[in-house]
Each structure stands twice: as C-alpha cells, then as structure tokens.
Amino acid sequence: VTAPSHLKPLSLSYLALSVHLKHYNTTPHLKQTTRLHQRLSLSSIFLQIHTTRKLFLSLSLLFSLSLSLLFCLLTTVSFTTTQTTTTNKGLFHARPPKIGLLHKTPIFFFFFRSVMKSFCALLLALTLLLTVALTSVQAANVVCATDCDYVMTVSSNIDNDDLNLPAGSVICLDASVEYTNAVVFNNFKAPDNNPFVITNCDGRARITTSSHSITFNQCENFHLTGTGWDAEEYGILTSGGSFCVHVWEGSTKCEIDHLESEDNNGHACFAIKSDPSTGYNRNNFVMENVFIHHNYMHEIATEGIYLGYKSYEDGDNAHEIHHVRVYANILHNMGWDG
C-alpha cells in the first residue's frame, strides 16, 4: 500500500486493511490464502459440528419420524378403508366385498395392512437406532499412540532437517508429559496444500516454562491447534514464560487456534514477526497467510498479540505482512494493549 505522506502511521493499518478487504476476492495470489484457510479450518468445523449436533439431530429425528408416520398413515388408511357407495337416499353403507385378489378381498386387506405395519415399525426402529448412534458420536480425539506421526516426549528443540518428517505430518504434545522448557520447531516447511499440524493428544497439553513457550524458526505452512481433545476447548496451555508463541526468523504461512496462555512475564503473548536483526527485511522476506483465532489469553505482561515489527518506517526496513486474519480471540487482563 502506498499511502499519502500526511497520513499518520496508525492510519496505515486501516488503509491497508481497507485495500486488503476490497481486493480480497480479486487478487490472483490470494487464492492460495483461501485454500490454506479452508484446509486449516478442519478443527473449527469439528467444533461447529459438535456444538450444533444436538439441534441438528433433534430436527432430523423429528423430520424422519414425521415422514415415517405420514407414510404409514397414508398406506394403512388407503388400503383398509372399505369401499362405499351412496344409496338413493344419500346414506353411506359398506359395499359387500367381492371375491378375488384384484377386487381387494378382506384377506388381502389384512395381509397388506400387516406388512405395512411391520415395515413402518422397522422404519421407526431404524430411525431411532440411527439417531442414538449419531448422538453418541463425538468430535475426533487425537490419540498419541495411533494418530501422531511424532510425539514430543520432552520439551526439546527439534529440527526437521534432522527428523525428515514428510509434509502433512501430525506432531503431538502429550498431555501426560510435563513440558518445563521451551518447545522449539526448526525448518518445518511444507507445500501450501499439506501443512504440518502441531496439536495435543490424550488430553490437554501444558507447557510451563520461564523461556519462550513455543517457538517456530524458519517454518512455513504449519498449523498449531489445541483441538486435539474434544473435552478441552483450549487443548494447549502455556503458562509463564516470556513469549507464549513466537513465530520467528523467517517463519510464515501459519494458523494458531484454540490455545490458552496465561501469566507470562515481561513480553507479549503471541509475537509473530521476524526482526530485521535476524536478517529478514523488506528486501528479502514477506510474511503472509497468518490466521489467529479462537485463542484465550489472560494475565499477560504486555501486549496480547504483537503482529509485525515495532516500526515500519524507520531505517530498519522491516518486512511486510500480507493476508492476515485475527478474529474470535478472548483477551483478558492485558498489561498493555491487546
């Protein structure tokens, strides 16, 4: 965005947002942003299904039962009503049954009615069983032993140049492990259509440290999500530390959701930027496709989300950030601004 010189620095954000929204659906390279967001939003879909499941199934049950009862009523009534005729005086009386199947004898009436009643009863039973089965379905839980490609058994600094995990791998934080040091990811790079997923397994994962809780260095296309366990809305908890989540040193294209962060000491909670001092600047790096949503931050020392370098216009030549969505986060008791 090229802004008039008389605009104040704070106005640049609003202008950039306005231009971004105006051209969101027309800029060609934003197509991959949309695909990334759709792909990474599977966890959000699970939560939406889980929260609306009871209402949906209740309506489905009512609709199915209504159709079944209506079908039974129409079929049984139409084949059990005796044929009538009108006398010269205008009174109704039953016509004597005729002999033969084609003339709908009483035997055929009783046989067909019994079959239809049995069929309707079976249909109603299947509807009830299906509804009970569906209401018992829960959003998928991530099990450490079976659903993870790599489980972090201790707080550690892992480098995919050494691990060689393929793109799309699921990396898990084990709820049974006490992570007391920083969890650091280095060189996890994936194509746009197959990101790395970092999530919790077997319950709620907790990271309690005096350092940065979770850090990403030179990572691209990754999804940090706390949706690994259905019973926990925020399946990853960071407590203490300086930065709760640090997206750093050339990292880009990420989604961060359903984390709870509390009681950090001295820095912002989410720091998503690469300082020019690390070698990433406006001439060689653009951070893009950043989605931050459905996180809960409270009792934070300074800012809630520190998105971008502290100054865009000074001589540091800080990098740009393109295509950002920040929404549905809860921030409570921030030391400074949100």
Side-chain angles (χ1 to χ4, degrees):
V1 176
T2 302
S5 58
H6 66 275
L7 288 178
K8 296 181 179 180
L10 287 178
S11 300
L12 290 174
S13 299
Y14 177 78
L15 180 59
L17 177 62
S18 301
V19 174
H20 168 66
L21 294 177
K22 180 178 179 181
H23 297 287
Y24 187 82
N25 294 321
T26 59
T27 308
H29 65 271
L30 289 180
K31 293 180 180 179
Q32 70 174 17
T33 306
T34 304
R35 291 198 302 269
L36 177 68
H37 181 62
Q38 291 173 345
R39 181 179 73 254
L40 294 180
S41 295
L42 180 60
S43 59
S44 301
I45 293 173
F46 267 121
L47 288 176
Q48 292 170 8
I49 291 176
H50 181 55
T51 55
T52 60
R53 177 167 43 88
K54 291 184 178 180
L55 177 60
F56 173 77
L57 291 176
S58 299
L59 294 175
S60 299
L61 174 61
L62 180 61
F63 181 74
S64 300
L65 289 177
S66 300
L67 286 181
S68 301
L69 291 175
L70 180 61
F71 180 76
C72 293
L73 181 64
L74 291 176
T75 52
T76 55
V77 169
S78 62
F79 282 94
T80 55
T81 302
T82 58
Q83 298 180 0
T84 60
T85 185
T86 304
T87 62
N88 293 332
K89 296 181 180 181
L91 299 178
F92 291 89
H93 69 277
R95 176 183 296 175
K98 298 181 180 181
I99 305 300
L101 184 62
L102 295 179
H103 293 287
K104 300 180 181 179
T105 62
I107 296 177
F108 179 74
F109 276 137
F110 291 131
F111 173 76
F112 191 82
R113 184 171 60 182
S114 299
V115 170
M116 290 307 303
K117 285 183 177 180
S118 300
F119 174 76
C120 292
L122 178 62
L123 184 61
L124 289 173
L126 290 176
T127 303
L128 291 174
L129 288 175
L130 179 61
T131 304
V132 171
L134 288 175
T135 53
S136 66
V137 173
Q138 301 292 327
N141 289 326
V142 177
V143 179
C144 294
T146 59
D147 299 323
C148 304
D149 299 301
Y150 182 87
V151 179
M152 300 190 69
T153 55
V154 294
S155 298
S156 59
N157 189 322
I158 60 174
D159 193 323
N160 204 41
D161 285 348
D162 300 324
L163 294 176
N164 291 317
L165 293 175
S169 295
V170 178
I171 303 167
C172 294
L173 299 172
D174 192 338
S176 65
V177 174
E178 293 185 9
Y179 298 99
T180 55
N181 293 307
V183 175
V184 183
F185 300 89
N186 300 287
N187 297 305
F188 284 85
K189 298 180 180 180
D192 287 347
N193 61 349
N194 199 21
F196 286 100
V197 177
I198 301 96
T199 190
N200 55 303
C201 63
D202 288 355
R204 193 184 203 196
R206 293 172 172 82
I207 303 173
T208 305
T209 177
S210 59
S211 179
H212 303 330
S213 296
I214 303 174
T215 298
F216 296 90
N217 295 321
Q218 299 181 23
C219 295
E220 182 175 335
N221 275 315
F222 59 91
H223 183 189
L224 174 63
T225 176
T227 55
W229 201 253
D230 180 54
E232 300 288 348
E233 182 175 1
Y234 306 105
I236 298 175
L237 170 66
T238 69
S239 184
S242 47
F243 292 129
C244 311
V245 177
H246 199 194
V247 180
W248 186 242
E249 290 193 2
S251 294
T252 183
K253 297 181 180 179
C254 62
E255 181 174 15
I256 303 170
D257 63 88
H258 294 93
L259 272 66
E260 180 180 352
S261 299
E262 63 180 11
D263 298 323
N264 79 326
N265 48 40
H267 290 285
C269 189
F270 286 9
I272 302 173
K273 61 191 179 74
S274 291
D275 289 357
S277 60
T278 63
Y280 295 92
N281 56 54
R282 203 174 312 167
N283 299 325
N284 59 23
F285 175 67
V286 174
M287 179 181 283
E288 60 181 342
N289 300 354
V290 177
F291 303 101
I292 306 170
H293 61 94
H294 295 94
N295 299 288
Y296 176 35
M297 311 170 200
H298 56 99
E299 282 68 48
I300 302 302
T302 60
E303 300 95 346
I305 301 173
Y306 200 118
L307 183 57
Y309 188 59
K310 63 182 180 180
S311 177
Y312 184 80
E313 293 184 315
D314 65 11
D316 289 326
N317 201 28
H319 68 79
E320 296 180 351
I321 306 179
H322 296 178
H323 320 140
V324 179
R325 291 193 66 194
V326 180
Y327 61 97
N329 299 284
I330 299 174
L331 295 90
H332 182 64
N333 283 348
M334 302 291 107
W336 294 357
D337 51 304

